[in-house]
Amino acid sequence: AIAGLLYGTIPNHYATAHNKIHHRWHNDTGDVHTNMDFDRTEFKAYIMYLPRFTAYWTGISPILLFWSRGEYKFLLDLAYGMVYYYSIGLLVWYKVGFVFFWAYFLYPLLESASFLGMIAYLWHMFSEESDPSNQYVNSLTILRGHNNVWNEDFHVVHHHEPNVHWTDMPKSFYENIDKYTECRATVFGDCQQGMLIHWIFGKKWDDLANSFVDLQYVFQNGDLNKEKLMTVLQIREVENEEERTRKHH
């Protein structure tokens, strides 16, 4: 409630808006910061999406949704946090001045909204047309990630099994690999969030495709990629090497 003020975080926001809205609809159309109706391949679409995420991050759209649904317990919890947060902000402005308020209160709020808005935009960049609520497709999984903080790269587990401790997320992935394979889950390997955003907004489709982990792929020798977890690029290299070996012999 104190440190969060300097990072643009409203008290009770995650416990209400994030847990009770985003984790209820999982980026489907009921989610107040869904990106499903945007063309996620266009950077300009992300700019158009930012006001929606900012309305969520500032508490405006979640509190309106709680009001419309009659969920007054969540509404009051979030409202308490918003009153506390914005009251402190006004007090800072009044006592210290606008420049300090802008630099240490308003700017962090807008910065976190734009940064976390892009991360949220990425985590749910894909969807299954025939089943938009399929969490194995509409949430990303990144294997061998370069920036895997608290195992957030296992975002399917974050949504589908929120009770799993972050240290057990990889274990959950491997235990449920058959389900990921059945759904042809959205899995990438040997990269990180920033690279994926760069590839998508930069329309670098070859780089994106090369990092995809096709769990349904079966090697020419019968091996299953759900056991090897190779990217498309790694699969191509292995298959080409085996082909060269066969021709040599």
Side-chain angles (χ1 to χ4, degrees), residues 193-209:
Q193 300 99 308
M195 296 169 67
L196 290 169
I197 291 172
H198 171 64
W199 292 337
I200 292 169
F201 287 158
K203 300 187 183 301
K204 298 179 181 296
W205 307 124
D206 288 344
D207 292 329
L208 188 68

Side-chain angles (χ1 to χ4, degrees), residues 66-67 69-77:
F66 290 142
W67 176 271
R69 292 179 58 85
E71 297 176 338
Y72 300 115
K73 170 64 168 62
F74 302 146
L75 184 152
L76 288 175
D77 287 345

Side-chain angles (χ1 to χ4, degrees), residues 143-213:
L143 302 177
R144 306 177 295 276
H146 301 167
N147 188 30
N148 183 20
V149 179
W150 291 345
N151 281 322
E152 64 178 352
D153 285 355
F154 295 91
H155 206 68
V156 171
V157 183
H158 172 73
H159 271 269
H160 194 57
E161 298 178 284
N163 58 309
V164 172
H165 192 268
W166 69 270
T167 57
D168 293 325
M169 285 183 172
K171 178 182 177 183
S172 174
F173 168 77
Y174 293 112
E175 287 178 346
N176 295 282
I177 191 67
D178 288 339
K179 184 63 177 179
Y180 282 79
T181 303
E182 176 188 341
C183 296
R184 203 168 204 165
T186 307
V187 182
F188 293 92
D190 305 304
C191 57
Q192 50 114 328
Q193 300 99 308
M195 296 169 67
L196 290 169
I197 291 172
H198 171 64
W199 292 337
I200 292 169
F201 287 158
K203 300 187 183 301
K204 298 179 181 296
W205 307 124
D206 288 344
D207 292 329
L208 188 68
N210 285 338
S211 293
F212 182 68
V213 178

